[in-house]
Amino acid sequence: MADEASSAAPTEQIQNLHLDEATGERVSKSELKKRQKQRAVLAKKNEREAAAPPKPVKKGNVEAEESNLTPNQYFEIRSRNINKLRQTKDPNPYPHKFQVTTDLRDFLKQYESIKTGEQLQDIEIRLGGRIYTKRSSGSKLMFYDVRAEGVKIQVMCQSQEAAGDVPFEAQHEHLRRGDIIGIIGYPGRTNPKTRAEGELSIFAREVILLTPCLHQLPSEYYGFKDQEQRYRQRYLDLIMNDATRSVFTTRAKMITYVRRYFDDRDFIEVETPMMNNIAGGATAKPFVTHHNELNMDLFMRVAPELYLKQLIVGGLERVYELGRQFRNEGIDLTHNPEFTTCEFYMAYADVYDIMDMTEDLVSGLVKHITGSYKNTFHTQSGEEYNVNWEKPWKRIEMIPALEEATGETFPPGPELHTDATNEFLRRVLKKMKLECTPPLTNARMLDKMVGEFIEETCINPTFITGHPQMMSPLAKYHRSNPGLCERFEAFVCKKEIVNAYTELNDPFDQRLRFEEQARQKDAGDDEAQMIDENFCQSLEFGLPPTGGWGMGIDRLVMFLTDRYSIKEVLAFPFMKDDRVEKKFAAEVANIKPAVEEDVHGPK
């Protein structure tokens, strides 16, 4: 009987166990219920996680990884990412419009007095600008340094302030350094724990990507300093270097001042042709272009002088022109193939009137731009020139100064153009150990000596006067010194900035001067002027006594912005071909060109 009882007990226990279908085990009723309850809880948790939006990737980590990429790697990845946004429009990386209501320069002035911790939440600010730095403090707080109009502002973004249709994380996940963004927010000053005064900021409610920057900007620490690349990529130079922006804003202010100076004195601004049959108006080698329809060669203008004087003949008695000139000559620190000049012509004025106007215009311009008549200029070699632009300026007579420098007595004015003088000048060059590039015309040899012995002394603004007639084919003869003409050149820091004279208005004398220039051209001087028959004919109708003047804008900008290279003051200086192969965004994203429809129809 005992054996029967012991065998019945395990059978009864087995009958009280229940099958766990999930594992195939047999367990007690209580254990099964416990397991089922745990599984139900886990299933609900999984359902909630599946229904919830995906958790945002920690952007700080992504951007930290991007900072380790090479520029090419960054460009390719960013181009593909932005192309995806172009396709999804979530968000549209290139929206059509963002309404800007605030000028950042005005914002900084208007809200400068806001106290630490103060926020003006009732005032809406709508601003566009470029991101220079981006930093985060957790996933709910972002800071940007944004620049616009040459000034900077901090933008503070907090998740609890986020407004608009786009969630906070989505507003910021695609933004990178260099992107152009639109900011909607309000002004305030932060209240930091680590210092007494907070920073004036825009507290953003919404940040919108307006235009992405596909390239990796240079780091703020190293900057963008490579000189050649700065000239080739002036847009990036302006993005990274405030000093470059300052040069071009100063240049614009200078040109505005010059225009206002002449406008206030009843001058008329005019425009004359850029292409001519004759390369006249200055002693320079021209560029040649070709007109296909007329099958004729034309010259890019080297100076507008002859056209402007024809306008004086026609009765426009005070004219000026600001514009580009083109000279097919060498490229160096002070010369570019195309450059900007201002020329004016004034009826019933002579060289002495023009000299007074030059002092008045330039000294007034310097005072207006810099706040002083004095400034400092540094050369490429590090020499420092302290320049005083205040009038009156020093005046030097050319021939007496050369006689003093060489210890030689020069031939009288009427003989300066002769072959005998040519031999004399060759001997003087040899004595002074100077080399002049051929052809050795009298004008070129004299110009070489002037550059060596007179121009080198001109640090403060200085007038060089008393030029020989054969050096100045468009200037009127000197009223008291035969063989010379009424002309001056103004030099500063050893460089010419102004050339002016009493204009030659005698058609008989003008033709003789042009024929002398033609003789020099035949002798091999490519820079000598050609005979302009139309200009000669205009003089036959009568040019009143006239003073003429030309100033190089680029060099003056160099001196007032302390830049020794002309390329620094030209937005896009002439550069040799850059033959480095580059990939472009459309190529990286594998975008094919669209087929254009023939809007004109069959021919």
Side-chain angles (χ1 to χ4, degrees), residues 116 118 138 190 232 255 286 347 351 408 416 473 478 532 590:
T116 295
E118 184 180 0
T190 58
R232 291 189 184 279
I255 291 174
V351 71
E408 298 282 345
L416 288 174
H478 201 286
D532 190 325
N590 198 29

Side-chain angles (χ1 to χ4, degrees), residues 549-563:
W549 176 95
M551 180 174 73
I553 297 294
D554 307 308
R555 285 190 185 172
L556 194 57
V557 176
M558 290 168 60
F559 294 137
L560 296 194
T561 58
D562 194 12
R563 298 292 186 275

Side-chain angles (χ1 to χ4, degrees), residues 310-349:
Q310 290 177 58
L311 296 177
I312 298 287
V313 171
L316 299 180
E317 295 180 351
R318 296 185 179 200
V319 296
Y320 76 95
E321 181 172 12
L322 272 157
R324 288 281 190 173
Q325 319 307 329
F326 307 87
R327 298 186 182 179
N328 197 356
E329 300 170 350
I331 301 173
D332 58 29
L333 290 175
T334 58
H335 294 87
N336 194 68
E338 54 178 315
F339 57 97
T340 302
T341 66
C342 178
E343 292 201 14
F344 81 80
Y345 292 83
M346 183 177 180
Y348 311 110

